[in-house]
Amino acid sequence: MVKHTEEATSAWIAETAKKANAAKGSDYVELDQGLLTVDQIDALLNCLPLELITIDKDDRYVYCNNEIPKKMLLSPRWPEKLGQTLSEVHKKTSMPHVQEIMDYAKTGKTYKLIKPSDNEYMVASFKNMTDKNDQYAGVTEWIVDLLPIVNWYLKQTGQKLVPDETKKATDVDSGASIQS
């Protein structure tokens, strides 16, 4: 682990990669279940139809993929925000909610935020990551628009969604869900 003392810099990623002599390009990385080059890992993560973000154990943004156009992100923060801490990225007024999400995710449960609209149904999920020794390693966030998936399913099966008149409130009405 490379110790990095300079705070509040978006150059943190490049500086730390250089200090650590990080693998790049055609360098191979041995994984739990295989062997890929850095280029293959980048291609894999970038082709996922979702926004993927990694926050390390020091609450620093260290990764995001680039599949989702920036205008579609729930909270645009890349690439210029990589290397910054949560408190550097988020507004001071939003930090209590951000900390609540992080604290819940660190328990191993999945925290979900839902942002519906007429043309998308964005779901952000936050979950802790652990290393091989079951030690906390950070939080990963993935954001996906479920509406295209639901619409595809309905078209394939010929089914329709209808309102449940017995249901009084939904997340759309009441806010985000916390689910394990």
Side-chain angles (χ1 to χ4, degrees), residues 38-52 54 63-67:
V38 172
D39 288 338
Q40 289 171 320
I41 294 168
D42 277 339
L44 168 69
L45 295 172
N46 287 335
C47 80
L48 296 174
L50 51 87
E51 177 185 354
L52 183 64
T54 302
Y63 176 79
C64 63
N65 65 348
N66 61 11
E67 170 62 20

Side-chain angles (χ1 to χ4, degrees), residues 140-154:
T140 191
E141 174 186 3
W142 63 97
I143 303 170
V144 64
D145 182 0
L146 292 181
L147 195 55
I149 298 166
V150 170
N151 287 339
W152 174 85
Y153 173 79
L154 294 174

Side-chain angles (χ1 to χ4, degrees), residues 1 3 12 55-61 85-86 136-138:
M1 177 85 154
K3 296 290 182 191
W12 183 87
I55 301 156
D56 73 6
K57 66 183 176 109
D58 298 319
D59 289 345
R60 183 179 302 277
Y61 283 103
T85 63
L86 289 171
Y136 173 72

Side-chain angles (χ1 to χ4, degrees), residues 14-44:
E15 293 170 8
T16 303
K18 186 175 180 181
K19 288 179 183 178
N21 195 24
K24 59 186 171 218
S26 61
D27 294 347
Y28 279 95
V29 178
E30 184 176 359
L31 304 167
D32 287 343
Q33 299 295 319
L35 183 71
L36 296 170
T37 66
V38 172
D39 288 338
Q40 289 171 320
I41 294 168
D42 277 339
L44 168 69

Side-chain angles (χ1 to χ4, degrees), residues 63-134:
Y63 176 79
C64 63
N65 65 348
N66 61 11
E67 170 62 20
I68 305 297
K70 195 170 185 174
K71 64 182 170 108
M72 296 282 293
L73 299 180
L74 285 180
S75 181
R77 51 187 165 252
W78 61 273
E80 61 276 0
K81 301 294 183 182
L82 284 173
Q84 295 182 0
T85 63
L86 289 171
S87 60
E88 292 166 340
V89 172
H90 293 283
K91 295 177 185 173
K92 194 173 191 171
T93 55
S94 67
M95 277 309 296
H97 184 61
V98 170
Q99 194 59 55
E100 175 187 332
I101 291 170
M102 292 297 291
D103 291 344
Y104 190 83
K106 288 175 183 180
T107 69
K109 297 177 183 173
T110 302
Y111 189 100
K112 298 213 181 277
L113 287 174
I114 300 170
K115 179 188 166 195
S117 72
D118 289 340
N119 59 352
E120 64 185 11
Y121 195 87
M122 303 298 278
V123 178
S125 302
F126 304 79
K127 185 149 176 47
N128 76 323
M129 300 179 299
T130 57
D131 64 18
K132 291 181 182 203
N133 297 319
D134 207 31

